[in-house]
Amino acid sequence: MRFGLLFLCACFLQSKSWSQDKTTQQKTADITSDWKIGIQTWTFRMFTLQEALQKADSAGVKSVEAFWGQPLGKGLPDTFGIRMSPAGKKQLKEWLQEKKISIVAMGVISPSSREEWVKAFELAKEFGLSYITSEPKKNHWDMIDSLAGKYMIKVAIHEHARPNTYWHPDSVLAAIKNHPNIGCCADLGHWARSGLDPVDCLKKLAGHVIGVHLKDIKTFNEPKAEDAPVGKGVINYPAIFDELARQRFKGMLSIEQESNWYNNLPDVINTISYYKTEVKRLQ
C-alpha cells in the first residue's frame, strides 16, 4: 500500500513537471510569434529601393525598415523620404503590394525642425509604419513625444557607436524619461563597437525596446569594427534572444549587414537561417 502511494505521488510530480515545462514552452512560443524578421534597406544601399524590395522578397522577408535618400528606381527621380512625389508614392505602394511587403519602420532620421517632423509622421502614417527610428535633437524630445502620441506612431532612438550622442543606454533613458511615446532601437552591433555588452544594454532598457538592428562584428570595443554575419562574430546572440524573450519583446528585428555591399544577400539569407534556428531553440 505504501509503495503504491509513493508510486502515485512520483507519477503526479512527474506529470506536474511535464505540464509546467509544456506551459513554459508554449509561453515562449507565444512570445516569439510576436517577433518579425525584417531588413533595414541600408543593407542594400548600393541598389534602388525597388531592387532592395526584390532582394528582401527573394529572401522570404516581408517586413522592411526603409531609409531616407534611397533612390526608388524604375527611372523615377524620387528618393524615399518626405519629398517623394505623388507618382513616386503611388509606384512604391504598387511594388509593396505586389511583393506583399510592409514598411514597418523608417530611419535613421534626424529632422531639423517641427515642420520636417510633421512631414515624417505624415509619411509614416500614409505607409502604415509602426515606428520611426531616429537620433533626435535633445530640444525636440517633448515635441516628438507629443507628435508620436498624436499619430500613434512610436519613435525609437537609435544607438550609434561612440562618440554619438546616444551611444550609451543612459543617454537613451534620459530621452525616454517622461516621454511615453519614445523608446529605443537596440543596435546590437554598435553597442559592441562601443565596448558595451549588448545583453546588459538590453536589460537596462527593458520595457523600452521598440525595434532591434541585427548585426554582428569581428572586433569588440572598436568603433570601426567590420561586420560579420550574425552569429559568427563576437556577439553572444543566444543570450540576446534569451533576453528578448524574457522581456517579452514584440516587434521587428531588422537585419543590417554593412559589408560586402554589392553581394551581401547570401549573408542576409544566412542570418535569417540562424535567426530561425534560434527561435526554434526558444520554442
Side-chain angles (χ1 to χ4, degrees):
M1 181 70 175
R2 185 180 179 186
F3 175 78
L5 287 172
L6 289 172
F7 178 76
L8 287 172
C9 287
C11 287
F12 171 76
L13 290 172
Q14 185 177 14
S15 174
K16 185 177 180 182
S17 175
W18 179 82
S19 177
Q20 289 173 336
D21 288 345
K22 187 176 181 181
T23 300
T24 300
Q25 290 173 352
Q26 183 62 46
K27 286 181 179 178
T28 306
D30 289 344
I31 292 167
T32 56
S33 69
D34 290 322
W35 296 3
K36 294 178 183 177
I37 187 68
I39 295 175
Q40 185 10 300
T41 63
W42 181 255
T43 298
F44 304 129
R45 70 184 184 90
M46 298 302 184
F47 303 89
T48 65
L49 184 50
Q50 180 188 22
E51 292 169 322
L53 294 176
Q54 290 170 345
K55 289 174 182 289
D57 182 58
S58 70
V61 173
K62 297 302 179 182
S63 302
V64 299
E65 178 179 359
F67 76 90
W68 285 12
Q70 185 166 26
L72 292 189
K74 201 179 179 179
L76 291 166
D78 300 59
T79 61
F80 180 79
I82 58 176
R83 294 173 180 82
M84 274 190 297
S85 68
K89 291 179 181 179
K90 182 176 181 292
Q91 180 62 79
L92 177 54
K93 289 173 183 176
E94 289 176 3
W95 291 333
L96 293 168
Q97 186 175 15
E98 176 189 335
K99 301 294 184 184
K100 294 181 171 58
I101 291 176
S102 298
I103 301 178
V104 176
M106 65 181 181
V108 176
I109 67 170
S110 301
S112 60
S113 66
R114 178 184 176 84
E115 181 184 7
E116 280 196 2
W117 269 111
V118 170
K119 289 179 180 179
F121 277 105
E122 286 290 341
L123 179 64
K125 178 182 177 181
E126 182 173 353
F127 280 86
L129 274 63
S130 297
Y131 63 95
I132 296 171
T133 309
S134 176
E135 293 173 4
K137 299 176 184 297
K138 185 175 180 178
N139 63 350
H140 284 179
W141 291 351
D142 290 343
M143 178 258 290
I144 63 175
D145 181 64
S146 176
L147 287 172
K150 175 184 175 181
Y151 284 90
M152 295 174 45
I153 297 170
K154 299 287 188 181
V155 173
I157 292 182
H158 177 256
E159 303 89 9
H160 204 85
R162 66 177 196 271
N164 184 275
T165 301
Y166 297 107
W167 74 275
H168 197 282
D170 287 347
S171 59
V172 180
L173 287 171
I176 290 170
K177 187 178 180 182
N178 298 322
H179 297 126
N181 299 304
I182 299 177
C184 84
C185 170
D187 193 304
L188 307 171
H190 282 319
W191 276 333
R193 284 188 172 107
S194 296
L196 302 172
D197 182 340
V199 176
D200 290 342
C201 292
L202 285 173
K203 289 178 179 177
K204 206 161 194 178
L205 290 162
H208 300 293
V209 181
I210 295 173
V212 176
H213 279 181
L214 281 184
K215 62 162 66 85
D216 212 337
I217 59 172
K218 295 180 180 180
T219 310
F220 183 74
N221 196 21
E222 171 49 62
K224 295 183 179 180
E226 291 183 27
D227 273 37
V230 171
K232 296 184 179 180
V234 299
I235 297 176
N236 183 356
Y237 263 96
I240 293 286
F241 291 122
D242 287 344
E243 178 57 24
L244 289 172
R246 185 193 69 79
Q247 291 186 23
R248 305 186 71 85
F249 167 73
K250 295 181 180 181
M252 181 170 67
L253 299 96
S254 303
I255 299 167
E256 190 175 40
Q257 183 70 33
E258 298 181 294
S259 63
N260 196 18
W261 292 108
Y262 290 98
N263 188 35
N264 57 15
L265 182 58
D267 292 332
V268 169
I269 292 172
N270 286 336
T271 293
I272 294 167
S273 177
Y274 177 79
Y275 166 81
K276 289 179 177 178
T277 299
E278 281 298 300
V279 168
K280 186 176 181 180
R281 174 182 66 81
L282 290 170
Q283 296 174 341

